[in-house]
Structures are given as structure tokens and as C-alpha cells.
Amino acid sequence: MQTYVVTPLTARPGPALAGNVLVPGDKSIGHRALMFAALCEAPVTVTGLGQGADNGRTAKAMIQLGATIERVGEDMVVSPVGLARLTAPGTIDCGNSGTTMRLLAGLLGGLPFATTLIGDASLSNRPMARVATPVRALGGVVNGEVRNGDLFAPLVVGGPEAAPRAAQLDLTVASAQVKSAAVLAALFAEGVTTIVEHAPTRDHTERMLAAMGAPIAVRDGVITVDTRGWSRALTQARIDVPRDPSASAFFVVAALIARAADVTCADICVNPTRIGFLDAIAAMGGQVERHGLRHVSGEPVADLRVGHGESASLHGATLRGELVVRAIDEIPVLAVLAARAAGTTVIADAEELRVKESDRIATTCAMLRAFGVHVEERPDGMVITGQPDTPLRAAQIHAHGDHRIAMAAAIGALVADGPTTIDDCDNVATSFPSFVAVLRQLGAALEVRHSDAVATAPSRAQDD
Ligand code: S3P
């Protein structure tokens, strides 16, 4: 088991955090680039993919389904199998990756062969009825273990009884994974499928598939998939994956709470469905500059800069509704920001956090409490009392195998009153294997211990 030991910035002389960082390629776009490239008719070059284990799960799955994926220099070249020629893979191991499992349930649910989708202990405890409902409405098959009124992996998807058909769907859960599964299942149906979404979840699936020639239109929160007369041929020569806004959020918050900072995160995807965290930061009085807005493979991209540490000017805010949907993965690190902001921050309408890689309402509250912060847990969020004038208390934190809790805790630890240890950090590799290296590059001191390793003093130089 990996444990991080983080030395607070104040323990060291000199400027707190400074530098230009390159975070990995966006994880959500990476999944879709690999999966949808494999559905095309001719080879696709994918650039900028992150090295995270989750994207690796999707790559392996598509190879099992008949594609070839080769590394050529820094890029990946996907020699596709084609939407109409997917081959029976038997069992696919999705590891810790909910996006891999849920999108595959949509892609494979309507096919005439059965596939078993398995995952690790965390993924096997995440709810899958939400994805089974729309895929079944579209004539697909999704079966699994029925427990506590929900459905869990291992899932068996597709099979001879699958009979794809168009349908009108009203999604009750605000989830891009569920929406994407429905869109993928609709590609196999004949006719017009409509999918109504009540909150604006990330829209990378719609953007990328439409650019590949899929008959997808979006208007006023309604997605229409009209397959009448469609050849089912998808094409795209190249997909450039922009860098991950969710990964950048850790350094943006770190710079905001540091006493002095100048941090730039380059080439970040600033798709409006992904940057609710920037709106939340603005509502809390933080300033993040955006430079050089441009478009890359159908996604808006910009550089994000925090020019000076400024926790003194941060204040609490109420974060709720569609903003929370657009910031869902960033809530743990926004909670750390709230701990350093004057006054109270209310996070509401965030019940989806209870079914992430951990129960992120409970694990975020536990993290803040360990840091000595006053927090009230609520069913759909939390109320955090900020302490801008008092350092966080050095703590021993358990990340519960959740990559985003581990990374958020590492950021909070930078402004603690002594070294903080964070246990169970191995899963940081699912999304951001270079997290430790990037944080050190900015000037932080973080040591990685392995459970059987002999403890040594924290050092900046040591690499893991
Ligand atoms: C994702 C959607 C979100 C997000 C997850 C990635 C995606 O999950 O939390 O990290 O790539 O579609 P939900 O769809 O469950 O909200």
C-alpha cells in the first residue's frame, strides 16, 4: 500500500508554489477517444492520452473486442474493428473504472453475444441499475447481482435475447456515464431515439460521436439519435486529447491556498460541462486567469493561471444545483479550498458523490475533520466552516482507495501545521500517475512510502 507523507509549505523557506505544469490528458475524453476510435472504419491516431490505469482498461477492452492499439512515439494508433464487427470478448476486467464498465454496458448490451464485465471491489459495489434501465429500454440486456434494490457487477451484457429498438428516454440520474451508455445503445437501434437530460453532464460523447459522423443532434437538453438510413460507418483520422481539468483543479486550489504562488496549467479542456469548479472558485472570491482559448478536436482548450496565493481574499459560498453537476469530481478539493475560506461554504445537491469510488461525502468530511476543520455532513453534501487564519492540523488520513480523496488530502496537507500522512493512495495511478512528480515540480515536499518500506525523512528529491 502506498502512503504519502506531505511536508507543509510553511515548513520550508522560499516561494510556496511556482511553475508550469502539464497534467495528463483528460480521462473522460481519453476513454471515449479509445472506445470510439475502435468503432471507426479506418485507423485513428490519438494524441495526448494520459497514462492512467482507467484509460488502460478501456484500451484493453477494445483490443478484446477486436481492435489493435499500438504506441507510435508519443501517440496511439487505433486500428479499428468497426461498429458493426465487434467480436465476442468473453470477460472484460474494468478494474476501478466506472466509465469503462458503464459505457461498455451501453455499447455491448444490444449485441447478440454475451459479455461479462467485472471490476475491483470498489467498482463491484457501485450501482449499475442506473445504466441497465436505459439500455434495457433500448432493447439491450444488462444483468447482474441484485442487492439492496440495485444491480451490481459482475454484469452480463448482451446475448441472443437482445433486440435493439429506438425509445424515448427521460434520464432520472444526472450522469454522463449513463447518458453515454444510452447514446451508444441507441446507435444499434433502428429509428429515432430521444434522450432527455435534466442537468448538463459532460458532453464529450455527443461531441466526439457527432464529429465521427454518428447521427446525433443535441438541442435544449434533448439528445436525438436518428439512425434511419445511416450506414453505421464512423470516421475520424485523428483525435487530440486536451489536458484534464479535473487533474488541474488540484494545482489551481493548491496555488490559491498557498501564501505565494504562480502556477500555470497549460492546454486544459475548458468545456463548460467540466469547469464548474472555476465557477465555484469565482463564487468564493478566487481568481483564475484563462489564456489562449482555442479549439482542439471539438473541445475548447485554454491555459489556467493562478498568479498569486490569495487565501486571504477567499470567502465561503453556496454550491448547489447544476454547478455541482459540472464540478462533481472536484468537490473534494473544493472542500479543501472552503476550509481555507472565511465563513461558511454549503455544498448541496451532491448526493451522487455517495456512489463514486468511495462515499465522497463521508470521506471528504472525514478528511476535513482529521485536518481539524469543522464540517457538518448532510445527506446531499456538507457545510464547512472555513479557518483562513488557522493552519489545518497535521493529520493521519485514510484515502479509502479513492484517487481524488488522496490528491485532495495532499493539497490540504500543504497548509497544515506539520507533516500529514495519507494512507491507501495507490489508486492515484488510475487517473494521475504523475501527480507526485508534478506536485514536487511545483516545489512541494512529498514522500511516497510503501507499506513494507522503511520510513525515512520526507525529501523532495526522491522519485516514485
Ligand atoms: C464520467 C462521468 C462522471 C464522473 C466520472 C467520469 C465520464 O460520473 O464522475 O469521473 O467520463 O463520463 P457520472 O456519470 O457517474 O456522474
Side-chain angles (χ1 to χ4, degrees), residues 346-363:
V346 178
I347 299 172
D349 303 324
E351 47 276 275
E352 272 298 301
L353 290 177
R354 296 229 179 252
V355 290
K356 296 294 180 189
E357 285 85 330
S358 67
D359 173 346
R360 280 191 188 149
I361 293 181
T363 50

Side-chain angles (χ1 to χ4, degrees), residues 27-29 31-32 99 102-103 126 130 173-180 201-202 204-205 274 328-329 352 355-357 360 403-404:
K27 181 158 80 82
S28 290
I29 297 175
H31 281 299
R32 288 152 175 88
T99 307
R102 294 199 176 112
L103 267 60
R126 296 182 64 187
R130 52 181 54 205
V173 189
S175 159
Q177 295 171 351
V178 172
K179 171 179 67 174
S180 300
T201 65
R202 62 196 72 193
H204 311 303
T205 294
R274 294 294 301 281
I328 197 72
D329 290 342
E352 272 298 301
V355 290
K356 296 294 180 189
E357 285 85 330
R360 280 191 188 149
H403 55 137
R404 297 199 197 280

